[in-house]
Amino acid sequence: MSSTATCDVGLIGLGVMGRNLILNMADHGFEVAVYNRTTSVTDRFIDTHGSDPFPSGGGILACRTLQELVTAVTSPRVVVILVNAGPAVDMVCEQLIQAGAGPETIAVDGGNSLFTDTIRRERDYRGRLTFFGSGISGGEMGARFGPSLMPGGAPEAWARLRPIWEAIAAKVDPTTGTPIEDAAPGRPVTGGEPCAAYIGPDGAGHYVKMVHNGIEYADMQLIGEAYHLLRTLTGHRPSEIGDLFAEFNRGELESFLIQITADILRQSDPVTGAPLVDVILDSTGMKGTGTWTATNALQLGSPAVSIVEAVFARAMSAAKEERVIASKLLAGPAANGATGDEQIVEAIGDALYCAKICVYAQGFALMRAGQAAYGWTLDFGSIARIWRGGCIIRAVFLHKITEAYLRQPGLANLLLDTYFAGEIASRQSNWRTAVAKAATIGVPCPALASTLAYYDGYRCPVLPAALLQAQRDFFGAHTFQRLDEPTDKWFHIDWSDPRRPQVEVPP
């Protein structure tokens, strides 16, 4: 492409995601103007891919300055920003404005930005730039061959972005929800239903991506606990447990995370020959999105207990040195050796499946609370549809979630759907067996156990919160409601003299 070429889209930031998204767009016939603050990064990218064949007619134009990029992209411009979340996004937006981008330029933040920052930016840049937020999930391979895309912002901006986003998104079979995964360089997927759908205004797209990542945290933690239990109870080597996960992946647990877990557990360390999982330090990092989800759940009073527990589990893993010391000082159960009982494999598989259903139920319930808090109208069936392919939490049972919301668009919680209620009912005995066994032998399973407590709490018609309310009224006069009075009436009693009548307190 020449320096005077007219491009369909611009992209700023040639990290792993940016590089692969550019190639994905070019494969689909789009001409992409690219810019990176460090020009040597741009040079290396062009040296590697500048002569790639793009049979669909796409191409790549290297820009040395943002002014060149702004000039190269047709108006109304779409410029995708893939830089680190935080101040860097604002810096790029200001630089775009200085480079000549005006209100007609749609700046698409494709990073993991906090949704409240997206709400602020959409407001602050209005009149100078059209700011638009979009969640992008799928990692390196998803960006290259088809991610799940969660766009949020002005509807008219989505109308301009939509042909690009729907073209490059992952595709699934519309009938079965099965991902179509036969893409290759220069040969993108054709046909199928795109895993991209408009989420809502301002920060809605980034909010849904945040909840997606919270579910991802919990899903990964559940899988880790299932692996820990299987290894402790069966005595199997990691490769053998990898085979078990491969078997799980042929049933209702079929998902990207189960699939890669099987592959990981079969991998040997090229240095020592030992199972690779045994030479990796057991201390997990975080980039913030899981914490944001947990914080938001606490702020909105939505009991996403599994997500919160998964965040704390990562924090616990980071205390490696303390855990090593504690292991020599703190007593555990007398016996925790392998039993070799193969029935436990089925129990753990069922526990993982039941807990996974509840985690997704918590995530969708949180989004339901979020739409009320932030003034959005979210289509939960559509969200489930675009998570069926491309994204990290893609799973075969997301098709069932899609069907559940098609049957009942106003469904308050997935656990109230007859299909999912029946799935847990038929497996909950095994779930309880696995959690009880973990407690008996001293294997920490915080996510499996707290998710079971969530399920039992949600199905319990009477909880001990009445006592808690009485305690609050006793020491702080916080008042209480009565079962035999309308819920808009509040009462207080003088606990120092129970003979005195209760007092109704004005709202």
Side-chain angles (χ1 to χ4, degrees):
M1 295 172 60
S2 70
S3 60
T4 58
T6 300
C7 297
D8 303 295
V9 59
L11 189 142
I12 299 170
L14 298 183
V16 172
M17 291 293 286
R19 295 194 304 270
N20 284 285
L21 210 63
I22 290 165
L23 297 174
N24 186 351
M25 289 190 282
D27 271 349
H28 283 87
F30 298 104
E31 296 183 348
V32 190
V34 304
Y35 170 81
N36 195 81
R37 182 180 60 177
T38 305
T39 55
S40 60
V41 173
T42 307
D43 291 340
R44 285 195 300 271
F45 178 68
I46 295 300
D47 288 345
T48 304
H49 296 288
S51 60
D52 283 6
F54 297 110
S56 298
I60 304 170
L61 171 67
C63 299
R64 300 289 174 178
T65 67
L66 281 177
Q67 287 87 348
E68 287 183 28
L69 182 139
V70 169
T71 302
V73 182
T74 57
S75 186
R77 300 178 192 89
V78 172
V79 179
V80 180
I81 301 171
L82 281 171
V83 298
N84 290 334
V89 177
D90 288 294
M91 181 181 70
V92 170
C93 287
E94 293 294 345
Q95 290 173 343
L96 271 173
I97 293 168
Q98 293 168 12
E104 78 286 354
T105 297
I106 302 165
V108 182
D109 177 13
N112 275 331
S113 289
L114 181 60
F115 75 97
T116 50
D117 286 342
T118 304
I119 293 173
R120 171 186 61 78
R121 289 174 180 135
E122 196 269 347
R123 180 186 65 243
D124 290 352
Y125 289 111
R126 197 173 299 155
R128 298 191 295 153
L129 197 70
T130 299
F131 191 85
F132 193 93
S134 180
I136 301 176
S137 178
E140 178 179 356
M141 294 303 290
R144 180 64 184 88
F145 297 114
S148 175
L149 299 166
M150 293 150 263
E156 56 271 22
W158 168 238
R160 173 70 178 87
L161 177 64
R162 183 174 183 172
I164 302 171
W165 249 218
E166 289 188 344
I168 68 171
K171 306 299 190 298
V172 298
D173 183 292
T175 302
T176 65
T178 304
I180 303 171
E181 296 180 327
D182 59 351
R187 196 189 70 208
V189 170
T190 57
E193 185 177 308
C195 293
Y198 179 66
I199 302 299
D202 50 65
H206 275 142
Y207 183 84
V208 168
K209 175 58 164 59
M210 178 193 75
V211 175
H212 164 285
N213 284 22
I215 294 171
E216 178 185 311
Y217 269 56
D219 205 347
M220 293 171 69
Q221 178 63 29
L222 290 170
I223 291 170
E225 291 175 12
Y227 160 72
H228 196 179
L229 264 180
L230 284 167
R231 191 156 189 189
T232 304
L233 288 171
T234 67
H236 287 327
R237 296 186 301 274
S239 61
E240 294 172 317
I241 299 176
D243 293 340
L244 293 176
F245 272 93
E247 187 62 32
F248 289 161
N249 200 49
R250 285 188 277 271
E252 62 273 351
L253 278 168
E254 181 184 342
S255 65
F256 173 73
L257 285 171
I258 295 291
Q259 173 193 328
I260 68 168
T261 299
D263 294 341
I264 290 166
L265 293 175
R266 290 160 162 169
Q267 180 66 49
S268 297
D269 175 30
V271 177
T272 65
L276 183 58
V277 72
D278 284 348
V279 299
I280 297 175
L281 180 67
D282 58 317
S283 181
T284 308
M286 291 187 281
K287 288 191 175 180
T289 49
T291 303
W292 294 345
T293 313
T295 300
N296 184 251
L298 291 167
Q299 290 169 335
L300 299 185
S302 185
V305 297
S306 309
I307 296 171
V308 174
E309 200 64 67
V311 173
F312 284 142
R314 292 196 183 194
M316 179 67 80
S317 79
K320 174 67 173 178
E321 293 182 2
E322 289 181 49
R323 289 189 288 112
V324 171
I325 294 170
S327 69
K328 300 171 184 175
L329 295 175
L330 302 181
N336 62 355
T339 65
D341 183 2
E342 290 303 318
Q343 288 183 339
I344 199 66
V345 173
E346 181 183 353
I348 293 171
D350 284 347
L352 184 54
Y353 179 53
C354 290
K356 188 182 182 82
I357 291 172
C358 288
V359 164
Y360 281 73
Q362 292 170 33
F364 277 87
L366 176 56
M367 289 189 287
R368 183 179 173 88
Q371 72 170 354
Y374 307 114
W376 303 321
T377 300
L378 302 180
D379 184 337
F380 300 117
S382 179
I383 292 168
R385 278 197 302 273
I386 65 174
W387 284 354
R388 292 178 299 175
C391 70
I392 302 301
I393 64 171
R394 61 186 183 267
V396 68
F397 88 140
L398 272 160
H399 196 62
K400 294 294 185 182
I401 295 178
T402 302
E403 292 175 341
Y405 281 110
L406 285 175
R407 288 192 297 270
Q408 305 171 79
L411 186 65
N413 190 297
L414 279 174
L415 296 180
L416 301 179
D417 179 72
T418 53
Y419 173 80
F420 289 110
E423 290 293 278
I424 292 182
S426 65
R427 293 172 170 83
Q428 65 165 308
S429 178
N430 270 344
W431 187 8
R432 297 179 190 282
T433 296
V435 170
K437 193 69 175 176
T440 301
I441 65 174
V443 171
C445 289
L448 282 171
S450 64
T451 309
L452 179 58
Y454 167 84
Y455 174 74
D456 283 337
Y458 193 66
R459 68 178 189 83
C460 187
V462 179
L463 292 169
L467 177 58
L468 187 149
Q469 280 296 86
Q471 291 169 334
R472 295 179 72 242
D473 191 58
F474 188 104
F475 64 69
H478 292 294
T479 72
F480 55 86
Q481 297 157 292
R482 293 180 59 92
L483 289 171
D484 54 2
E485 293 283 356
T487 55
D488 61 348
K489 290 187 176 183
W490 295 82
F491 300 91
H492 169 66
I493 193 169
D494 184 351
W495 295 91
S496 64
D497 186 356
R499 293 171 297 178
R500 294 182 182 178
Q502 65 181 9
V503 178
E504 184 177 348
V505 180

